[in-house]
Amino acid sequence: MATLKLEALTKKFEDMTAVDHMNLEVADGEMIALLGGSGCGKTTTLRMIAGFTTPTEGDIWIDGERVNELPSYKRNVGIFFQNYALFPHLTTFDNIAFGLKLKKLPKDVVKEKVRKILSLVQLEGMEKRFPKELSGGQQQRVALARALVMEPAVLLLDEPLSNLDAKLRVEMQVEIKRIQKEVGITTIIVTHDQEEAVSLADRVIVMNAGRILQVGSPKEVFDCPVSPFVADFMGFGNIFSGRLARFRDGRGEILCGQETLYAPEASCKGIEEGEEVTLAIRPENLILAEAPGRNVLGGRIRNVTYKGHMTRLEVKDCLAEQDLYLSVHDYEGEGAGTPVRVCLPEEKLLVYPREQWS
Ligand code: ATP
């Protein structure tokens, strides 16, 4: 158990800044997800915490101790990297026991620690199997057990589920969360998958170009992204422009080409009448409407894609600027060319000042 603090942590590779003055405090036992697109600095951040990469500037504190100068093996950090290969010639038991044996712990202590961790990751009975005799998910659990058995103060997980199929991924997400809570270990998980981040973490950090754009609970980041960039990254799908014409009766009236959309005044904080704005709404928050009404736009279906648990509709002509995307359940309507009405519920519409992209 430990706290972790990053202070103005920065890494430059020649003239490229990979991590830019990052500040972060992680509480004891907390699980944080670092979320961001490729190259935004997630792995570099983990590598600095682990002691594999030297920061250009800034400090790293673990449990109140500045660890910048401590070598990796003295930091008490467990690491689970993407493609973290198991030793193919060692059994499950020996793979997990490897670090403990290096520490020269007595045999019976090693045995007991490995037994406990195997039960935690639910791999009892697999001690004697070699990696090639285990499924992908079981191998991932051995790798996780190998990191956990060392009882690190901080656990760093870099895309731990990236190589798994969809079903195993979900199973492992549940498992990682269960183990993390059971052991109460301070954890940072790196992912580029927004659903994974929100389902696993206590807090989500959205990064871009080495900087933190938003820190919040999964719900805050999922429902109330601070900018259109974060909204786009969090799967809002529909992001378009307009102009806030005026406020009336507690609503902002927003002109989008020929159409007028309405949003609660509270959603238009800091925006003046006449100002250009960017709007965002999630595909699952758009509704097919029966009749005309407020925030209902007419259009035609361009495309219908059946996705199993829902159907994705691409609708043209609602807005001059771009198509709208809807994610609907139980769609039984017609295909391309069908006229439809799309409702953008006021309370689901996010409004940003135009210049506030990132
Ligand atoms: P991904 O999701 O693709 O793994 P990431 O967010 O983990 O990306 P990093 O691996 O931290 O990104 O890389 C951040 C930036 O730093 C990238 O532009 C990368 O090319 C650059 N970078 C990383 N390591 C080095 C290095 N050793 N030398 C030079 N540039 C590097």
Side-chain angles (χ1 to χ4, degrees):
M1 302 276 272
T3 56
L4 172 72
K5 187 160 123 185
L6 309 180
E7 243 175 8
L9 193 64
T10 302
K11 181 66 193 180
K12 292 186 179 161
F13 294 106
E14 294 175 357
D15 55 354
M16 207 282 282
T17 307
V19 178
D20 195 358
H21 293 86
M22 183 162 174
N23 291 301
L24 176 66
E25 288 195 38
V26 188
D28 207 357
E30 191 179 20
M31 184 156 186
I32 293 276
L34 284 187
L35 178 65
S38 184
C40 74
K42 306 180 296 291
T43 301
T44 305
T45 305
L46 284 202
R47 290 182 61 84
M48 285 192 280
I49 299 169
F52 298 153
T53 297
T54 310
T56 313
E57 263 178 69
D59 295 311
I60 302 163
W61 304 79
I62 296 177
D63 256 350
E65 184 193 358
R66 185 175 171 277
V67 298
N68 287 45
E69 272 77 47
L70 269 193
S72 182
Y73 67 93
K74 285 196 178 162
R75 290 193 188 188
N76 201 8
V77 168
I79 308 142
F80 176 106
F81 278 123
Q82 200 175 343
N83 306 323
Y84 206 60
L86 299 172
F87 302 116
H89 59 291
L90 295 185
T91 61
T92 297
F93 182 95
D94 288 332
N95 260 291
I96 298 173
F98 189 80
L100 299 174
K101 287 183 179 168
L102 278 186
K103 274 188 160 179
K104 301 210 169 12
L105 292 182
K107 258 191 176 164
D108 52 336
V109 175
V110 171
K111 220 171 162 180
E112 181 53 19
K113 281 185 183 284
V114 174
R115 190 193 63 74
K116 271 198 185 147
I117 228 73
L118 276 170
S119 138
L120 194 69
V121 297
Q122 297 175 350
L123 283 176
E124 295 116 320
M126 306 264 172
E127 293 82 345
K128 294 195 177 133
R129 294 214 195 162
F130 289 93
K132 66 175 189 312
E133 296 167 336
L134 297 169
S135 73
Q138 288 165 341
Q139 288 181 31
Q140 296 258 358
R141 273 184 280 165
V142 175
L144 189 60
R146 190 170 60 173
L148 283 170
V149 82
M150 304 303 291
E151 296 169 17
V154 177
L155 180 64
L156 306 175
L157 306 171
D158 193 356
E159 302 271 5
L161 309 177
S162 57
N163 296 329
L164 303 181
D165 66 43
K167 184 168 170 285
L168 254 182
R169 240 182 128 93
V170 174
E171 279 173 23
M172 281 297 290
Q173 279 177 12
V174 174
E175 209 120 309
I176 286 183
K177 184 142 190 159
R178 177 183 64 80
I179 294 168
Q180 193 268 337
K181 286 293 161 221
E182 217 166 301
V183 184
I185 194 167
T186 309
T187 304
I188 300 189
I189 181 165
V190 157
T191 176
H192 58 259
D193 178 337
Q194 37 112 350
E195 277 183 28
E196 191 161 293
V198 297
S199 64
L200 275 172
D202 301 311
R203 273 192 304 157
V204 175
I205 291 171
V206 185
M207 288 180 71
N208 185 44
R211 286 174 172 268
I212 292 181
L213 301 182
Q214 186 166 5
V215 180
S217 70
K219 194 164 167 44
E220 275 164 2
V221 178
F222 199 73
D223 291 342
C224 306
V226 290
S227 66
F229 181 91
V230 179
D232 190 27
F233 199 76
M234 295 308 293
F236 269 66
N238 299 295
I239 297 180
F240 51 95
S241 52
R243 188 171 62 80
L244 195 145
R246 60 177 176 162
F247 288 109
R248 203 169 59 156
D249 301 333
R251 289 191 182 86
E253 292 181 12
I254 301 159
L255 302 180
C256 301
Q258 302 297 310
E259 305 290 344
T260 304
L261 292 174
Y262 298 82
E265 200 168 334
S267 305
C268 307
K269 262 193 244 121
I271 301 170
E272 306 268 318
E273 288 185 348
E275 216 178 299
E276 301 290 326
V277 295
T278 303
L279 298 115
I281 188 163
R282 303 191 80 89
E284 59 270 31
N285 287 336
L286 295 180
I287 302 165
L288 286 177
E290 298 284 325
R294 197 192 288 277
N295 280 19
V296 174
L297 306 178
R300 271 173 201 281
I301 290 186
R302 185 192 293 282
N303 235 326
V304 178
T305 314
Y306 180 59
K307 297 264 189 189
H309 60 295
M310 50 72 141
T311 302
R312 178 184 155 93
L313 303 180
E314 228 174 294
V315 180
K316 60 183 178 179
D317 303 337
C318 289
L319 299 169
E321 191 184 342
Q322 67 183 65
D323 291 354
L324 287 178
Y325 300 100
L326 287 79
S327 185
V328 296
H329 290 283
D330 306 321
Y331 181 71
E332 286 175 351
E334 300 294 317
T338 312
V340 285
R341 291 193 183 94
V342 178
C343 174
L344 296 82
E346 292 182 32
E347 70 285 1
K348 301 288 187 190
L349 202 53
L350 302 188
V351 190
Y352 300 95
R354 172 66 54 83
E355 71 278 12
Q356 186 196 335
W357 175 253
S358 65

